Amino acid sequence: MTRHTTPTPRRRAALCLALALAAAPAAHANDDGLYATALLGLANQSDQTLTWSGVGAPPVGTQSRNLALDSGFLGGGALGWAFGNGWRVEGEFVYQSVGAGNPGFATPGPQGKGDNFASTSAAVNLLYDVDLFGSEKARTYVGVGYARLTEVDMDIGSSSYSGDGDGIQLLFGARYDLGENVFMDAGLRWLDAGKVTLDAETGNGRIETDYAPWAVTVGLGWRF
């Protein structure tokens, strides 16, 4: 019997990225060497379901609540190498945080308003510059990266929870040369780390939730 699998959003996004890479012309064949970029951005994440589980003897139950999330801040930097044929590889470090509401857990779950939902991550990105503008100064790019989330943390009232994880990120953007060595960068990125488990640092129990932030970024870069 033949099984039909419905493509997941992540697979569809990866397929679209692969098609774009295959069809688009490379940009700036003479643009090669080491570069660095500083990034700032507006981070966002859709509302998430939190599942809190009490730990102890005997167990104290499980609760699920919806957490409203707001926009926040992204900051970071990247160091990369352009190969001169449109391809680039870079390593980056990023901190991002979004605001959080009150999930409304009942006692003995964490009480109070959420403070933030944040992460620090180190990533390796593979990017391809695309010549869509026909300009010597401007180019667009698409990319995919693997991110190691060294810390994911959430504060609810006086309780703090943290964990780690791994994710895949997609990047889209444009660059514009301001001079021979200086360039501006504007981009859109999406990170999907799937389900993460956050253990209590203060308070009790643990929280499971999905972590999938996206951000609009601007950057300033330098070619060495």
Side-chain angles (χ1 to χ4, degrees):
M1 184 174 62
T2 302
R3 292 184 63 185
H4 297 280
T5 303
T6 302
T8 64
R10 185 185 300 178
R11 290 176 180 173
R12 287 196 293 267
L15 177 60
C16 291
L17 178 60
L19 293 174
L21 292 177
H28 296 254
N30 61 344
D31 186 9
D32 60 354
L34 187 67
Y35 67 89
T37 310
L39 294 171
L40 291 174
L42 179 67
N44 295 269
Q45 187 171 186
S46 60
D47 296 352
Q48 297 294 334
T49 298
L50 307 185
T51 299
W52 176 86
S53 300
V55 294
V60 291
T62 298
Q63 304 177 44
S64 291
R65 298 289 190 273
N66 185 69
L67 178 66
L69 297 172
D70 202 352
S71 59
F73 167 81
L74 178 146
L79 185 65
W81 183 270
F83 293 98
N85 58 1
W87 289 98
R88 294 185 283 121
V89 63
E90 64 182 28
E92 69 167 24
F93 179 82
V94 165
Y95 170 83
Q96 55 186 318
S97 174
V98 296
N102 187 341
F105 286 117
T107 305
Q111 303 295 300
K113 181 182 181 300
D115 183 16
N116 64 358
F117 192 11
S119 69
T120 55
S121 62
V124 177
N125 302 320
L126 180 65
L127 304 107
Y128 188 70
D129 291 332
V130 181
D131 185 5
L132 293 183
F133 302 123
S135 168
E136 288 296 320
K137 292 187 175 183
R139 80 221 70 166
T140 57
Y141 63 84
V142 292
V144 62
Y146 163 77
R148 174 59 184 166
L149 281 69
T150 56
E151 184 175 18
V152 182
D153 64 81
M154 175 184 297
D155 296 325
I156 301 175
S158 60
S159 300
S160 180
Y161 297 83
S162 68
D164 55 21
D166 303 276
I168 299 296
Q169 60 183 10
L170 300 178
L171 306 100
F172 307 89
R175 287 187 167 185
Y176 185 83
D177 292 341
L178 299 177
E180 184 176 351
N181 296 320
V182 182
F183 60 87
M184 287 187 62
D185 184 295
L188 176 66
R189 59 174 55 210
W190 173 66
L191 169 66
D192 184 4
K195 190 173 295 293
V196 295
T197 299
L198 310 178
D199 293 312
E201 294 180 344
T202 60
N204 65 87
R206 63 172 53 97
I207 288 175
E208 288 189 348
T209 186
D210 289 333
Y211 189 67
W214 60 275
V216 178
T217 62
V218 293
L220 187 65
W222 179 270
R223 297 186 192 90
F224 297 96

